[in-house]
C-alpha cells in the first residue's frame, strides 16, 4: 500500500500534536512535517510536495486562504477549521473534505479515506483553480473587509497593507496593484476587490479602476461630459459616468 505523504499546517500546538498522533495511527498516511504558520506551510508544500495537507484557515503570517491563493501546484487539501461558514463553502466547492474542530478520530479517518480514494482514482480531480475558486467564494461571503493583499513575486511573498494601495487596475486576468513605492501583479478579479474593500474609501471609478480616495488630488474636467482623476502619485485615471456618480456620493460633492 502506497501511503499518502501529508503535512499539517496548524498554529495551535495541542491541536497539531493530537492531529499528528492520530494521523500516525492511520496506515494510509505518512506524516512528513508539521508547520505552525502560513509562510512555513507554503514553503513546505513547495519543497516537500506532499500529496495531502491538513490546513487550518486562521493562521499567523499568512492565512490558509492566502496560502491557497499562492499555490501554483496544489496538493489535496483537508481543511481543519473552527469556523463552520468556511467549512460549508469549502465543502460545497468540492474540497476533499473539511474537519470542523473539535473532531473525532473516526471523522479524521473518514476524511483520509476520501483523500486516499481520490488520490488513487482521480488525483487531478481538484486542481489549483478549484482552490482559487474556493478562496473567492469564501471571501465573497465573508463580511470582513479586506485589510491586506497577498502577492507572489517569483519566490517572494508580499503582504500589502490595503491602506498603502493607491489604485487597482484591471489587466485581462490580472490586477495591477499600484502603491506609492511600486506596482504588483496578481491573478484576481476586479469584482472581488469591489465587493471586499471599504466602499466609503475605495471607489470603482471605471470598469478598469478602483481608486483609494485618500490619494485623490483633483477631479479635472476633461471635456463636456468627461472627467479625469489626478492622484497624488501623478497618475491620471479615466472616470466613467457611473464612477463619477459613486465618487460624488462618497466625497459629498
Amino acid at each position: 500500500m502506497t501511503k499518502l505523504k501529508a503535512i499539517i499546517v496548524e498554529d495551535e500546538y495541542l491541536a497539531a500534536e493530537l492531529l499528528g498522533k492520530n494521523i500516525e495511527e492511520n496506515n494510509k498516511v505518512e506524516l512528513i512535517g508539521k508547520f505552525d504558520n502560513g509562510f512555513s506551510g507554503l514553503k513546505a508544500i513547495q519543497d516537500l510536495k506532499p500529496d495531502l495537507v491538513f490546513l487550518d484557515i486562521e493562521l499567523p503570517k499568512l492565512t490558509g486562504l492566502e496560502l491557497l491563493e499562492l499555490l501554483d501546484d496544489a496538493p489535496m487539501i483537508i481543511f481543519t477549521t473552527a469556523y463552520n461558514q468556511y467549512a460549508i463553502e469549502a465543502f460545497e466547492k468540492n474540497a476533499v473534505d473539511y474537519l470542523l474542530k473539535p473532531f473525532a478520530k473516526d471523522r479524521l479517518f473518514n476524511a483520509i479515506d476520501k483523500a486516499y480514494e481520490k488520490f488513487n482514482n482521480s488525483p487531478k480531480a481538484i486542481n489549483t483553480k478549484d482552490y482559487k475558486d474556493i478562496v473567492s467564494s469564501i471571501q465573497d461571503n465573508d463580511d470582513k473587509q479586506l485589510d491586506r493583499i497577498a502577492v507572489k513575486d517569483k519566490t517572494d511573498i508580499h503582504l500589502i497593507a490595503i491602506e498603502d494601495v493607491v489604485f487597482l487596475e484591471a489587466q485581462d486576468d490580472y490586477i495591477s496593484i499600484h502603491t506609492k513605492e511600486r506596482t504588483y501583479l496578481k491573478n484576481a478579479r476586479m469584482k472581488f476587490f469591489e465587493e471586499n474593500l471599504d466602499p466609503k474609501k475605495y471607489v470603482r471609478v471605471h470598469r478598469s479602476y478602483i481608486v483609494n480616495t485618500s490619494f485623490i488630488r483633483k477631479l479635472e474636467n476633461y471635456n463636456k461630459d468627461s472627467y479625469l482623476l489626478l492622484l497624488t502619485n501623478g497618475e491620471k485615471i479615466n472616470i466613467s459616468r457611473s464612477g463619477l456618480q459613486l465618487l460624488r456620493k462618497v466625497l459629498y460633492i
Side-chain angles (χ1 to χ4, degrees):
M1 175 184 291
T2 301
K3 293 185 176 183
L4 300 178
K5 293 186 297 180
I7 66 169
I8 296 170
V9 187
E10 166 68 72
D11 64 323
E12 296 178 38
Y13 176 78
L14 292 178
E17 287 296 300
L18 179 59
L19 179 56
K21 179 177 177 294
N22 288 334
I23 287 173
E24 287 172 349
E25 293 179 17
N26 189 291
N27 62 5
K28 294 177 180 174
V29 179
E30 177 189 2
L31 185 62
I32 60 173
K34 288 185 285 188
F35 305 89
D36 64 2
N37 66 70
F39 273 128
S40 61
L42 178 62
K43 187 173 188 308
I45 292 171
Q46 293 168 334
D47 294 345
L48 300 177
K49 302 190 183 308
D51 304 310
L52 177 63
V53 177
F54 295 88
L55 178 66
D56 192 7
I57 290 179
E58 294 292 326
L59 291 168
K61 297 187 179 179
L62 197 69
T63 70
L65 298 182
E66 289 170 335
L67 182 156
L68 284 178
E69 277 189 292
L70 299 170
L71 287 177
D72 293 324
D73 189 13
M76 292 185 293
I77 301 288
I78 293 177
F79 294 104
T80 60
T81 177
Y83 296 92
N84 195 32
Q85 73 273 22
Y86 292 150
I88 291 172
E89 290 294 338
F91 197 57
E92 286 178 347
K93 287 290 184 178
N94 199 29
V96 173
D97 207 343
Y98 72 94
L99 297 170
L100 189 62
K101 298 176 182 175
F103 49 85
K105 186 163 66 175
D106 287 351
R107 180 69 183 86
L108 168 65
F109 281 15
N110 181 259
I112 290 174
D113 286 345
K114 289 182 182 178
Y116 191 79
E117 182 178 351
K118 185 175 288 293
F119 182 77
N120 285 291
N121 295 331
S122 55
K124 298 298 184 184
I126 290 180
N127 58 36
T128 304
K129 184 180 180 306
D130 293 317
Y131 288 125
K132 293 184 188 303
D133 288 345
I134 288 171
V135 173
S136 295
S137 177
I138 291 173
Q139 290 172 326
D140 285 349
N141 288 282
D142 193 346
D143 293 334
K144 185 180 177 183
Q145 289 176 340
L146 204 62
D147 58 6
R148 67 182 188 185
I149 304 172
V151 178
K152 187 175 181 181
D153 182 12
K154 296 179 181 175
T155 58
D156 295 331
I157 304 297
H158 299 274
L159 293 178
I160 306 165
I162 203 66
E163 61 266 24
D164 292 336
V165 174
V166 179
F167 71 97
L168 302 169
E169 181 180 8
Q171 294 189 344
D172 298 324
D173 294 332
Y174 290 85
I175 300 295
S176 288
I177 302 164
H178 299 263
T179 69
K180 287 188 292 185
E181 290 76 27
R182 56 168 289 188
T183 298
Y184 305 85
L185 201 61
K186 182 180 179 69
N187 181 221
R189 298 169 298 141
M190 194 63 115
K191 186 172 182 290
F192 164 73
F193 290 107
E194 186 179 15
E195 293 177 348
N196 289 277
L197 292 173
D198 182 355
K200 295 179 181 176
K201 190 169 183 182
Y202 300 88
V203 180
R204 188 162 187 172
V205 296
H206 185 275
R207 180 169 51 86
S208 299
Y209 299 104
I210 291 176
V211 171
N212 181 345
T213 56
S214 300
F215 292 98
I216 293 176
R217 174 175 290 166
K218 181 182 176 184
L219 215 60
E220 187 175 273
N221 189 206
Y222 181 64
N223 59 40
K224 183 181 178 184
D225 295 319
S226 300
Y227 282 84
L228 286 176
L229 203 58
L230 273 60
L231 304 178
T232 56
N233 66 350
E235 292 276 359
K236 293 184 178 180
I237 302 292
N238 287 321
I239 309 175
S240 65
R241 288 187 179 181
S242 59
L244 182 60
Q245 290 176 348
L246 285 174
L247 202 58
R248 281 178 164 159
K249 190 175 180 181
V250 170
L251 299 179
Y252 300 101
I253 54 177

